[in-house]
Amino acid sequence: QEKFAERLDENFQSHYVHENEPGHHYVYLYDYAAQPWKTQEKAREYATTKYRSGPGGLTGDEDCGQMSAWYIFSALGFYPVSPGSDEYAIGSPLFAKAYIRLSPSDPDKRFEIIAHNVSGENMYIQSATLNGRPLLRPFLRHGDIIAGGSLVFEMGNQPNLQWK
């Protein structure tokens, strides 16, 4: 894991170009290297510097909505790193509260994402709970989302090096 994280560091220092959509998942790979605070930093950095509202709001080439999808997922606080997998890697939510409506016929069936104390400085997850139970790793399953409920983050301005 340490070597993998070192290679990711090298990539971000010299090669990474966020506008090149096939590499968007790189931001979230630190979760797999047991350094989720780096994912939180990178997700927040790119979500707040590479996207803006209005004309010209995307810095890259928007192919089939992929850049917009990256932003939406990242703003919620998680991202589907591997197509075909039911796992989402946790990043850093942008909003204090958001939800995904899960059923057009039942507006009450939804998955809520709550980020207490989230701000520009408070990008680091101190702890997280999924439906009241501690989320011990920086990953979420698709089934967790579609079942409904809530994902609650406690945010702070320092990395939590224990949450891996």
Side-chain angles (χ1 to χ4, degrees), residues 27-28 31 36-45 47-48 70-79 89-95 113 115 118-125 153 155-156 163:
V27 169
Y28 288 87
D31 283 355
W37 62 91
K38 288 185 181 178
T39 284
Q40 294 159 31
E41 290 170 357
K42 297 292 183 197
R44 181 62 67 90
E45 174 187 349
T48 58
W70 185 93
Y71 178 79
I72 297 293
F73 275 113
S74 293
L76 292 172
F78 50 88
Y79 184 74
I90 301 290
S92 179
L94 292 180
F95 305 108
I113 302 99
V118 69
S119 69
E121 282 186 7
N122 293 343
M123 72 178 83
Y124 298 105
I125 297 168
F153 297 109
M155 307 298 291
W163 194 62

Side-chain angles (χ1 to χ4, degrees), residues 114-159:
I114 299 166
H116 295 150
N117 301 314
V118 69
S119 69
E121 282 186 7
N122 293 343
M123 72 178 83
Y124 298 105
I125 297 168
Q126 304 303 297
S127 65
T129 58
L130 177 64
N131 297 323
R133 294 184 314 270
L135 189 64
L136 303 176
R137 298 178 58 240
F139 299 98
L140 183 64
R141 297 269 179 211
H142 185 70
D144 297 328
I145 296 169
I146 62 170
S150 63
L151 175 62
V152 178
F153 297 109
E154 298 297 331
M155 307 298 291
N157 64 2
Q158 296 293 316

Side-chain angles (χ1 to χ4, degrees), residues 82-120:
S82 178
S85 169
D86 73 337
E87 187 173 72
Y88 296 79
I90 301 290
S92 179
L94 292 180
F95 305 108
K97 189 172 186 179
Y99 69 89
I100 301 169
R101 194 168 77 183
L102 301 170
S103 169
S105 61
D106 183 1
D108 293 331
K109 183 165 182 170
R110 58 197 211 171
F111 184 72
E112 275 190 316
I113 302 99
I114 299 166
H116 295 150
N117 301 314
V118 69
S119 69

Side-chain angles (χ1 to χ4, degrees), residues 1-19:
Q1 289 179 329
E2 191 64 37
K3 276 288 203 203
F4 182 54
E6 287 173 15
R7 296 292 297 201
L8 285 172
D9 291 342
E10 290 172 17
N11 176 61
F12 282 105
Q13 291 167 4
S14 59
H15 301 295
Y16 184 74
V17 177
H18 187 75
E19 294 82 349

